[in-house]
Amino acid sequence: MRKILAATIAASVGLLVGAGTIPVAATATAKTSGYQPPAIDWGTCTRPSLQVRGAQCGFLVVPLDYAKPNGTKIKIAVSRIKHKSADSAYQGVMLTNPGGPGGSGLGLAVLGEYVPNGAGEFYDWIGFDPRGVGSSVPALACDPNYAGYNRPFYVPVSRQLEKTWLAKAKGYAKACDKAGGALLDHLKTTDSVADMESLRKALGQSKINFYGFSYGTYLGQVYATQHPDRVRRFVLDGVVNPARVWYDANLDQDIQFDKNMDVFFGWVARNDATYHLGTTAKVVKQKYYSTLYSLIKNPAAGKIGPDEWNDIFVSAGYYVFGWEDVASAFAAWVNDKDPAPLLDSYAEPGVAGSDNGYAVYLGVQCTDVKWPQNWSKWQRDNWKIYSKYPFITWNNAWYNAPCLNWGAKAGKPVAINGKKVPPVLLIAETNDAATPYSGAIEVRKRFPNSVLIEGVGGTTHSGSLSGIACTDDTIAAYLATGELPDRVRGNRSDKQCDPIPQPNPAAVSAFSAKTADNARAELQDAIGVR
């Protein structure tokens, strides 16, 4: 769930805000029977992509701790683009979430314009930064230099490397404990679900519609489980497996990412005329790994070591968008020893607040459920997977390792149950690595009124609204009228569509992967993520 549409670490998210919490005296009184939020004071947005669309921005005031509704309050940054249809055709609010957890969703209010056939015009589209994220107050950030250049090698081939990474992860957890204070105890998915309920109330709605990507699909599952009578139409794209949160889910990712990278290496080989990296997937893969090992002693430009090299390639396992950029950076270094594209692909460390997305990611995952506290289990599980699927395994392990020493107490995950939930639309590609396809099948079982669209054979995560008519027109019909494809018998998808196609760097066609790539790039620009 680490990288998805809008799941890079956002340093600027379009609202000018101060730091800290709101004094209790400045907030509305809440009843212990259920928190009633004050109305949102809507104003002008500061982000240009929202301004140009006439969006409104403001803050939702909510309790830090819903068990103490009269206590300390925090602010959730919210955006709204109102419906363009006649009022008689209005179908309510559409809340959105880009995933992560930790992704800034403020810019996702623009999503409605990407729904085909004008079906997005019936809704008020609501973007929001979840608690701790982006423009919400307070926002969590712990150490902007944590993902710095030329870090210790991910793969703990020596006891010293292992100790170094364990100490590094523990240090980050302690930094977050110091920076987060009381907020750290209230970053669970259930806290964000409670914020969604407060948002529903503040918007004066009896029900909500919801469009969630990646982790956002889990947020939607928990909301629907806890508030089935408040659900209208939900679109869940890139479906999290609720039976695997969160330690096991990350192990599942390691396997599929490795398989997807083989697909990418094969694509590079088929385009050898462009990239000159080898004519077989095996040769290209060997060059990837031989280069990685060479960077241990000789980092590119003194900055891009084996970890940064691995990080740069991870996006190619997430989706086909940007394959040309990754392959070009690969070729520039291997063939010409030009580090410039690599440096352009890796965010420079040290920018204040730049680790906000990562910090909140950990704040949610480390406290939704208790992670194994015995390091020997992590060792056994990760070395076993690494032996066959090495691409991201230790990268992913260390990414999550602060959970070993996280300062907030973990809870128990919600038992997801969609039996009372109205029809929901699920979307997944067969070889999604971030949220493996088995998760979509599991959620389809738990939500007996749901329908699943499968992008057959695809490797892209959360790729809806990218120009694939079979998928996007189904979304549009559902949002316009509630119509869904018939649900079939068995544990399988209900409708099969083409996946997002792989790019063809040598072709110029009416519709190619470049079309989808451009559509996604346009959307990312609109929501403020590139």
Side-chain angles (χ1 to χ4, degrees), residues 73-94:
K73 302 298 190 295
I74 61 175
K75 298 189 291 187
I76 306 298
V78 183
S79 62
R80 176 173 69 178
I81 294 180
K82 300 193 77 173
H83 62 285
K84 296 178 175 61
S85 68
D87 288 346
S88 59
Y90 175 63
Q91 297 197 43
V93 298
M94 179 72 71

Side-chain angles (χ1 to χ4, degrees), residues 278-356:
T279 58
T280 68
K282 182 178 180 180
V283 169
V284 176
K285 185 175 184 176
Q286 286 174 339
K287 285 188 178 179
Y288 166 82
Y289 281 105
S290 63
T291 303
L292 181 147
Y293 296 132
S294 72
L295 294 172
I296 295 174
K297 291 186 176 180
N298 298 294
K303 296 179 176 181
I304 304 298
D307 299 355
E308 294 73 39
W309 175 260
N310 185 233
D311 287 349
I312 289 166
F313 280 78
V314 166
S315 66
Y318 269 97
Y319 30 60
V320 298
F321 308 118
W323 272 13
E324 303 102 310
D325 294 336
V326 176
S328 294
F330 189 1
W333 178 250
V334 170
N335 297 330
D336 303 317
K337 290 297 180 282
D338 177 7
L342 295 176
L343 293 169
D344 288 343
S345 300
Y346 193 84
E348 187 168 355
V351 178
S354 60
D355 65 320
N356 172 240

